[in-house]
Amino acid sequence: MEKLKNLFRTKNTKKGSYSIAVTAVVIAIIFVLNLFVRQLPENIRQIDISDTSIYEISSTTKKLVKNLDYDIKLYVLADKSETDDRIKNFISKYAGQSDKISVEWIDPVLHPSTLTKYSAEENSIVVSCAKTDRQTTVSFDDILAGSSSYYGTTSAATSFDGDGQLTSSLNYVTSSKEYKAYYTTGHGETDLSTSVTDLMEKSRVSSEVLNLLSSTSIPDDCDLLIMNGPTSDLTDDEIKVLQNYMNNGGKIICLLAYTDKSMSHLYGFLKDYGMTVSDGYIADTERCYQGNYYYLIPNVTASGDMASGMTSNSVLLVNSKGLTVSDPDDDSITTESFMTTSKNGYDITEKGQTQGTYTLGATAEQTVSVKNKDGDEEDTESRLTVYGSNMLIDEQLTSSFSNLENLTLFMNSVTSSLDDADNISIASKSLEVTYNSIAYPGFFSILIIFVIPLALLAGGFIIWFRRRRR
């Protein structure tokens, strides 16, 4: 018995007892902490460690949710146990942004009548607002999108659009205002890509094609006219149609394109609004992508609504025309640029090159007097927005660089041209592997790629060599 007592009095035994006690206390703390964390709301205890932050709630959503006046109900028509974890986690986090948003899961297999009640299909979310008596449906296939249907097929999802789809639906059920945009054809214009039209629809802007050649006027329901890269000139009659539209408070977005044809009529129309188009195409030896002088990284100076959602001002333009902004002859027109080259911009033509700072994006506004429905005169604003290159919204370009804010800037142009419109168009997040790229190489590139790795290797060798000599 005395030997047993002496055993517990040894130095090693005391140390062991102390270690056991500390371990027990740590385990107890972890246990209590775990119980506490489990009591927190699910949206707080979920940490987004996904590669592209698919659970991140955008500032656009936070702003909309913060200003909600009505209660919103999300009816999720799916078997919760069989639903993709990414969708379940995002719905939970999204609803946690406001106490005005509530979620109810309904298994349509157990309650088949709900599909008829909400005029929806299985694996979808019904977003409903009782106050406005409006509802809309978001399919899981629209949230987890791939080359083909995600649910019921073996196709892997390539993008996650939870934030964009739900916020667009929230905006739809809480507001009845909708807009109509027309995009021109007949002059070699590029059709608006699906990415662009989807973003426009999220902001309640529908689109339709308009052939200026066969139109004597712009339709009365046109809230915005988009000219996406005409490559042949307009006629005098078409210019008159555009001018009449602007004189009646019209809104136009014009994206110029690479062309070897004379564009004197269109460029003359732009010059009337204080924008003179350069003869050649713009290069920039300072702000360019990977040493390609025609791949421009502009200085973006947009402010107000035009800067909404812009966090990095990362915009890429390819083969852009340049603009020289000046005061228009008409004093009622105000023109200003929001995107320029550096001072090392060049207007490149076959005859030579001219250095300077060139405008790559500009807006012109004019106060005009129009008659309202009662026949009375009232003032309104016409607005013309011009971009040097229609590659701004080229789908191949924007999909190749996930960090670009080209589409955000363009959508800001759209909603800024519309009365009481907000840019609710949140782009989907890629689920594919993304690669880092350096916008414009130079000393920084050399430092990262060569100097730092070589310094680490040299330092490691010196330390190894010194230790070896001891």
Side-chain angles (χ1 to χ4, degrees):
M1 189 65 178
E2 189 65 26
K3 289 182 178 181
L4 185 60
K5 289 181 179 181
N6 291 334
L7 180 63
F8 283 96
R9 292 171 182 166
T10 64
K11 186 177 182 180
N12 289 336
T13 303
K14 290 180 179 180
K15 287 183 178 180
S17 301
Y18 177 77
S19 299
I20 293 173
V22 171
T23 302
V25 170
V26 171
I27 292 175
I29 292 174
I30 293 174
F31 179 76
V32 173
L33 182 63
N34 187 52
L35 291 177
F36 172 75
V37 171
R38 288 182 65 85
Q39 300 305 312
L40 295 174
E42 189 175 355
N43 65 295
I44 294 179
R45 67 174 187 262
Q46 288 175 349
I47 300 176
D48 189 358
I49 59 174
S50 59
D51 184 40
T52 53
S53 300
I54 61 175
Y55 304 122
E56 180 183 1
I57 304 298
S58 66
S59 58
T60 300
T61 295
K62 291 178 180 178
K63 179 181 177 181
L64 179 66
V65 169
K66 181 180 179 181
N67 296 323
L68 279 177
D69 295 322
Y70 311 130
D71 291 332
I72 304 297
K73 190 78 174 183
L74 305 182
Y75 298 99
V76 188
L77 309 182
D79 182 353
K80 189 172 183 178
S81 63
E82 296 294 329
T83 301
D84 190 289
D85 287 339
R86 291 169 291 188
I87 293 179
K88 286 192 294 186
N89 292 337
F90 187 81
I91 291 174
S92 174
K93 187 167 185 177
Y94 194 93
Q97 300 300 308
S98 172
D99 56 7
K100 290 185 177 294
I101 303 176
S102 58
V103 180
E104 181 179 348
W105 286 80
I106 304 175
D107 189 342
V109 176
L110 301 178
H111 307 280
S113 61
T114 56
L115 298 180
T116 303
K117 178 181 178 180
Y118 296 111
S119 301
E121 297 181 354
E122 188 177 0
N123 295 324
S124 62
I125 306 169
V126 177
V127 183
S128 177
C129 178
K131 190 71 175 179
T132 61
D133 194 28
R134 289 167 69 89
Q135 76 171 42
T136 187
T137 304
V138 177
S139 170
F140 285 4
D141 286 337
D142 292 330
I143 295 177
L144 277 174
S147 56
S148 58
S149 175
Y150 180 82
Y151 275 81
T153 72
T154 57
S155 173
T158 57
S159 64
F160 186 87
D161 197 20
D163 197 18
Q165 291 292 334
L166 289 182
T167 299
S168 173
S169 299
L170 220 65
N171 187 42
Y172 172 81
V173 300
T174 56
S175 176
S176 59
K177 181 68 174 177
E178 297 187 23
Y179 306 91
K180 184 68 170 290
Y182 286 84
Y183 57 96
T184 62
T185 187
H187 307 88
E189 295 96 332
T190 303
D191 290 340
L192 297 180
S193 68
T194 303
S195 300
V196 171
T197 55
D198 285 349
L199 289 175
M200 290 172 61
E201 288 173 0
K202 288 179 180 179
S203 291
R204 308 190 312 278
V205 183
S206 59
S207 59
E208 186 176 324
V209 66
L210 175 66
N211 192 328
L212 282 178
L213 288 170
S214 58
S215 302
T216 57
S217 64
I218 305 300
D220 293 337
D221 65 344
C222 178
D223 297 302
L224 176 65
L225 183 69
I226 301 175
M227 305 174 69
N228 185 26
T231 55
S232 60
D233 204 5
L234 280 65
T235 64
D236 285 333
D237 290 335
E238 290 172 313
I239 294 297
K240 290 179 181 178
V241 169
L242 294 184
Q243 192 61 67
N244 289 335
Y245 176 62
M246 292 292 288
N247 290 340
N248 285 280
K251 313 293 193 299
I252 298 177
I253 295 178
C254 180
L255 300 99
L256 303 178
Y258 177 85
T259 179
D260 55 1
K261 298 179 181 178
S262 171
M263 303 290 286
S264 58
H265 292 150
L266 176 59
Y267 291 174
F269 172 74
L270 300 182
K271 188 174 182 179
D272 290 340
Y273 286 86
M275 307 178 202
T276 302
V277 182
S278 63
D279 293 329
Y281 292 88
I282 303 302
D284 194 329
T285 58
E286 180 180 337
R287 296 187 62 87
C288 59
Y289 175 75
Q290 300 289 10
N292 191 325
Y293 299 150
Y294 291 96
Y295 281 59
L296 311 175
I297 310 289
N299 285 308
V300 180
T301 58
S303 60
D305 292 338
M306 282 290 290
S308 177
M310 301 281 290
T311 57
S312 64
N313 288 340
S314 298
V315 174
L316 179 63
L317 290 181
V318 180
N319 295 333
S320 178
K321 300 292 285 185
L323 304 171
T324 301
V325 173
S326 59
D327 293 331
D329 294 334
D330 190 334
D331 294 337
S332 64
I333 301 175
T334 302
T335 306
E336 62 179 12
S337 63
F338 58 84
M339 192 163 59
T340 64
T341 67
S342 71
K343 63 181 179 180
N344 291 317
Y346 290 85
D347 178 16
I348 308 295
T349 65
E350 293 182 355
K351 297 180 180 180
Q353 57 189 36
T354 305
Q355 184 177 357
T357 300
Y358 292 90
T359 294
L360 303 175
T363 58
E365 293 183 335
Q366 182 181 21
T367 301
V368 295
S369 182
V370 298
K371 289 185 178 181
N372 58 24
K373 294 180 179 179
D374 299 326
D376 299 325
E377 294 283 338
E378 63 179 15
D379 289 339
T380 187
E381 294 288 332
S382 63
R383 181 183 177 98
L384 171 64
T385 304
V386 180
Y387 288 96
S389 173
N390 68 328
M391 292 296 287
L392 175 83
I393 56 174
D394 179 76
E395 187 160 25
Q396 184 176 355
L397 181 70
T398 55
S399 62
S400 298
F401 300 88
S402 60
N403 60 330
L404 289 181
E405 294 183 321
N406 288 29
L407 295 179
T408 301
L409 181 61
F410 174 76
M411 283 306 305
N412 286 343
S413 303
V414 171
T415 54
S416 295
S417 300
L418 303 173
D419 296 331
D420 302 320
D422 293 318
N423 186 0
I424 308 297
S425 51
I426 304 168
S428 60
K429 297 177 180 178
S430 175
L431 297 176
E432 299 180 323
V433 177
T434 56
Y435 301 94
N436 292 326
S437 59
I438 299 174
Y440 25 109
F443 174 76
F444 182 75
S445 305
I446 297 173
L447 182 68
I448 294 295
I449 298 173
F450 299 107
V451 176
I452 293 179
L454 289 175
L456 291 174
L457 286 173
F461 176 79
I462 292 172
I463 294 173
W464 169 81
F465 185 75
R466 286 179 176 177
R467 288 178 177 178
R468 189 170 179 269
R469 294 184 61 184
R470 291 177 182 175

